[in-house]
Amino acid sequence: MARGLSNVIGFDDGTFQKTGPGQVRLVGAVFARTRLDGVVSGFVRRDGANSTARMIELVQHSQFVEHVQAVLLQGIAVAGFNVVDVHALAAALNVPVLVLMRRRPRLSSMRAALINHIPGAARKWKLIEAAGPVEPLGQIFCQRAGLSHGEAQALVDATTLHGNLPEALRVAHLIAGGVTTGKSRGRA
């Protein structure tokens, strides 16, 4: 596998209220290929602008900082429209970032939702555009920072055990759901 990108952290958010201010649980699952090595967690603002900084902080202030060779995200935003700056995240941690999606996003619908309902919409939309085009990657879709399409595919192949998404994302989703609602459910 190119560059040995088998040690990853996958981030996902917990369940949250869609209205009103609030803090949303963010969980990072650290994996060596398909083996769970650890978990980090913190909070981000719903529809806020602190997801990138919080992810950097969670990795840099953990015992896994030397272990993490790539960051995986399920979608480019957490906690509603708290959009991740994938290039700033990659630069700060000096690792590639791979955004994965089960379905191709409807960007026109996302843009309309941002513009009509979310503070800081223009800045957030620029981050979505700067992340690059949404590309097919096997049966899923991706945006990437710091790795080639081939490296992205190799990374997904090396870290996926069940389904189409890497274990780090699947397990982060289960943990975040279990912690915030008392039980895990659904698929990542």
Side-chain angles (χ1 to χ4, degrees), residues 43 49 60 81 88 107 112 129 134 184 187:
F43 291 93
Q60 287 181 338
F81 274 112
L107 294 176
E129 289 183 317
V134 175
S184 59
R187 58 187 220 183

Side-chain angles (χ1 to χ4, degrees), residues 26-169:
L26 180 68
V27 171
V30 181
F31 270 75
R33 290 194 177 261
T34 58
R35 182 192 73 222
L36 178 65
D37 280 350
V39 176
V40 297
S41 75
F43 291 93
V44 293
R45 286 184 303 280
R46 185 184 65 78
D47 296 331
N50 66 335
S51 58
T52 306
R54 191 65 174 131
M55 289 177 187
I56 292 166
E57 179 182 301
L58 287 171
V59 173
Q60 287 181 338
H61 293 109
S62 75
Q63 70 269 33
F64 307 110
V65 65
E66 299 299 323
H67 177 79
V68 172
Q69 298 168 337
V71 176
L72 306 176
L73 305 173
Q74 186 173 341
I76 196 159
V78 295
F81 274 112
N82 196 327
V83 178
V84 179
D85 182 338
V86 296
H87 296 290
L89 182 59
L93 297 176
N94 198 31
V95 300
V97 175
L98 183 59
V99 180
L100 298 172
M101 299 150 269
R102 288 188 182 279
R103 291 173 291 288
R104 183 180 293 277
R106 295 182 321 204
L107 294 176
S108 60
S109 297
M110 284 178 66
R111 188 170 191 276
L114 266 171
I115 300 299
N116 295 325
H117 302 291
I118 307 298
R123 179 188 159 287
K124 292 176 184 200
W125 184 249
K126 285 181 184 176
L127 292 175
I128 292 169
E129 289 183 317
V134 175
E135 307 169 310
L137 188 70
Q139 295 186 12
I140 57 178
F141 296 89
C142 76
Q143 289 175 294
R144 51 195 171 79
L147 71 169
S148 70
H149 190 271
E151 289 170 326
Q153 186 65 64
L155 176 58
V156 169
D157 291 345
T159 58
T160 301
L161 185 59
H162 301 288
N164 295 323
L165 293 177
E167 287 299 289
L169 291 176

